[in-house]
Amino acid sequence: MHVTVRDNNVDQALKALKKKMQREGVFREMKLRRSYEKPSERRAREKAEAVRRSRKLERKRIEREGF
């Protein structure tokens, strides 16, 4: 990941870096890797996330189509 500092403005570069890291999911990944997660728990979490994602997409589709 690369961020350029313009006009010695480190605060702006740091803000851009944090935004990029958030989009890439780095913070979320670090939080998940703080402690060991059993494979069965990982599968359950990933399945729940997939269900959540699909429900969200379905809500957005229904809202967009006006049902």
Side-chain angles (χ1 to χ4, degrees):
M1 207 169 294
H2 185 266
V3 176
T4 56
V5 179
R6 296 183 192 150
D7 299 328
N8 245 1
N9 195 345
V10 177
D11 291 331
Q12 185 178 10
L14 189 60
K15 187 176 179 181
L17 176 66
K18 284 183 179 179
K19 191 179 284 187
K20 279 187 177 185
M21 289 174 72
Q22 182 71 33
R23 264 191 252 123
E24 293 290 324
V26 174
F27 293 124
R28 192 161 174 269
E29 186 74 23
M30 287 187 329
K31 182 181 175 188
L32 285 173
R33 290 178 184 248
R34 280 190 187 139
S35 60
Y36 179 74
E37 185 178 27
K38 288 171 44 178
S40 60
E41 291 173 345
R42 180 174 177 236
R43 281 192 300 272
R45 177 183 51 79
E46 288 177 348
K47 185 175 181 181
E49 288 173 356
V51 168
R52 207 173 301 121
R53 261 193 321 273
S54 67
R55 285 182 182 160
K56 183 176 180 181
L57 285 173
E58 186 65 23
R59 276 196 312 270
K60 286 188 175 222
R61 187 185 63 80
I62 289 172
E63 180 181 310
R64 191 174 47 243
E65 292 176 0
F67 280 92

